[in-house]
Amino acid sequence: MSRETFYIGMDLGTFKTSVMASNAKRSSLYTAVGWPRDHVARAMLGRDVIFGEDVVQQRMALDVVRPFNKGSLKYVPGNPEDATDIERSKHAAKLLVNHAVSLMNPPAGAAIYGVIGAPSRASIENKQVIMEAAQEAFDAVVIAAEPFTVAYGMDQLKDTVVIDIGAGTIDICPLYGAYPKDEDQVTISIGGDSVDECFLKLLQQQFPEAQVTLNMAREIKEKHGFVHDVNESAIVSLPVNGRPQKFDVTDSLKEACGSLVDPIIEGLQEVIAKFDPEFQSQLLQTVLLAGGGSQLKGLDQLVEQGLQPFCAGVNVQKVYDSCYAGAAGALKLAMNMPDDYWQKLENSGTLQQDAA
Ligand SMILES: Nc1ncnc2c1ncn2[C@@H]1O[C@H](COP(=O)(O)OP(=O)(O)OP(=O)(O)O)[C@@H](O)[C@H]1O
Ligand SMILES: [Mg+2]
């Protein structure tokens, strides 16, 4: 009797991992793993490894590893001097993938087939790292470009450019009715993380008396982040010598968030310029902003303005659900692949395959 098949779509992000399964379950968790710092922490937490919201809530008691932080493992080659860190990150990535799959409650004994999104320009070596992380949890896995999974999920496979604004990278991918080639796509090594770092630096310069961490800067950005010129202001409460005080962080926040706009327009220009000139304006019929960074207020308007010189009627949209759009597309891709293709992958004893 053949085994039951269970499909999973996973967006294994630098910051967040979103996962969806063919039993309609879905979940999103931080791409971070925490280990209790000492015996006291272990006793208090009651577990050896911590995932999800607890990694942030309990971080004082944890050693936290973000395995794909700053693109390490994911799109830049590992630095040999950091061999221990790389091994630790690889281990954390594997535990995280195992945990994400277990959250989907796959039926015992089922064959688990999955599609995992990776940055467009992830190297063979980087994809291998993702495959290794998936080895235990899946029977067969296909890696697909992150922006492609978003477009696939939304049936926007033609005349569209997807801009996936993640934490570690911005991936720009043209869709023209076939699986995009690596050389068609552009990955920029900045994203939400670099906005947070820039914002924190500006805050520390402007308000040296305020106590603020990178995590607080990110939370403020997620709550108030905007890039357009309307009369919006961000007033937040930050501690000064332990006492909360109000600060107007509007200018710093806008400058930090706005730092993404020029690189996005330049990356788009690069993608368009590589494209057949006869089809360039057709390609720009729809520009789809995806990833957590797409939530920045006014970003769609600024990108639309920046693209006017290239295509007067360009239509810039945001995805309907920045958290799950990638995982939903990856799941749809997994479920639409023929079963014999999956079985061949499983039987070949190798997990490594591209969706191309
Ligand atoms: N409402 C919001 N406004 C602005 N930024 C946001 C918002 N929500 C999330 N973000 C930012 O989006 C980023 C995370 O996006 P996403 O989850 O798409 O990244 P990722 O897939 O983990 O990263 P990558 O694709 O680079 O591997 C973080 O920097 C987060 O702070
Ligand atoms: Mg992503």
Side-chain angles (χ1 to χ4, degrees):
M1 211 176 75
S2 66
R3 287 202 288 166
E4 184 181 348
T5 310
F6 190 75
Y7 299 98
I8 285 186
M10 191 180 288
D11 181 353
L12 188 57
T14 305
F15 177 67
K16 274 213 167 150
T17 292
S18 303
V19 57
M20 291 179 75
S22 47
N23 59 358
K25 280 196 189 301
R26 66 181 205 174
S27 192
S28 174
L29 64 160
Y30 292 110
T31 308
V33 179
W35 284 273
R37 280 204 174 146
D38 52 30
H39 291 301
V40 179
R42 167 68 187 80
M44 178 192 72
L45 294 161
R47 282 160 292 163
D48 291 324
V49 189
I50 312 293
F51 301 99
E53 199 58 43
D54 282 350
V55 176
V56 176
Q57 300 300 335
Q58 310 290 348
R59 64 187 182 279
M60 302 295 285
L62 298 172
D63 286 325
V64 177
V65 173
R66 278 181 69 186
F68 301 119
N69 203 14
K70 299 236 181 280
S72 57
L73 300 188
K74 216 171 177 191
Y75 67 98
V76 290
N79 176 355
E81 285 168 27
D82 299 336
T84 323
D85 285 351
I86 288 174
E87 280 318 307
R88 205 164 145 77
S89 292
K90 283 184 176 175
H91 181 54
K94 181 181 281 196
L95 292 177
L96 189 100
V97 172
N98 289 352
H99 180 69
V101 169
S102 74
L103 290 175
M104 299 296 98
N105 286 339
I112 303 179
Y113 298 148
V115 170
I116 299 183
S120 307
R121 302 302 302 270
S123 66
I124 299 287
E125 186 192 341
N126 301 142
K127 285 178 186 163
Q128 189 62 42
V129 169
I130 296 173
M131 300 304 305
E132 280 168 24
Q135 192 99 31
E136 256 171 40
F138 289 90
D139 292 284
V141 159
V142 166
I143 292 191
E146 276 170 10
F148 175 77
T149 60
V150 171
Y152 190 85
M154 294 179 71
D155 283 327
Q156 296 257 48
L157 290 173
K158 211 169 166 300
D159 305 334
T160 300
V161 181
V162 175
I163 308 179
D164 183 353
I165 308 160
T169 55
I170 298 176
D171 288 293
I172 307 180
C173 174
L175 277 308
Y176 45 85
Y179 191 82
K181 296 197 279 288
D182 275 1
E183 58 270 28
D184 299 331
Q185 305 173 52
V186 167
T187 293
I188 311 170
S189 313
I190 57 167
D193 283 349
S194 53
V195 171
D196 302 343
E197 281 160 23
C198 173
F199 181 38
L200 179 64
K201 213 160 109 195
L202 292 169
L203 281 180
Q204 285 166 337
Q205 278 164 8
Q206 198 183 355
F207 307 114
E209 71 281 21
Q211 290 174 292
V212 55
T213 64
L214 194 59
N215 198 47
M216 288 157 79
R218 180 179 54 75
E219 282 174 359
I220 296 170
K221 175 199 71 177
E222 289 179 5
K223 186 156 176 225
H224 299 278
F226 58 92
V227 289
H228 54 3
D229 280 322
V230 295
N231 302 327
E232 186 135 5
S233 61
I235 316 284
V236 299
S237 180
L238 298 171
V240 176
N241 294 326
R243 241 192 203 195
Q245 269 187 32
K246 295 266 185 238
F247 291 92
D248 183 344
V249 301
T250 310
D251 293 341
S252 305
L253 182 58
K254 199 162 136 193
E255 184 179 336
C257 296
S259 66
L260 296 181
V261 178
D262 285 348
I264 288 177
I265 302 293
E266 282 158 26
L268 257 166
Q269 237 176 298
E270 198 182 327
V271 167
I272 302 161
K274 285 199 262 188
F275 214 67
D276 184 329
E278 288 186 52
F279 291 94
Q280 287 180 0
S281 61
Q282 196 172 323
L283 180 66
L284 279 180
Q285 277 184 15
T286 303
V287 172
L288 204 53
L289 302 184
S294 67
Q295 299 308 298
L296 287 171
K297 285 175 250 165
L299 187 62
D300 46 351
Q301 284 146 269
L302 281 197
V303 172
E304 203 163 281
Q305 277 167 24
L307 287 174
Q308 287 305 318
F310 301 93
C311 179
V314 61
N315 167 27
V316 180
Q317 299 171 3
K318 298 177 184 186
V319 293
Y320 60 98
D321 180 346
S322 68
C323 183
Y324 285 105
L331 175 63
K332 189 170 156 189
L333 198 56
M335 293 180 76
N336 283 348
M337 282 189 198
D339 262 357
D340 56 350
Y341 173 80
W342 283 116
Q343 276 148 17
K344 229 186 278 165
L345 278 189
E346 189 181 350
N347 295 336
S348 73
T350 165
L351 289 165
Q352 186 162 9
Q353 284 288 326
D354 271 322

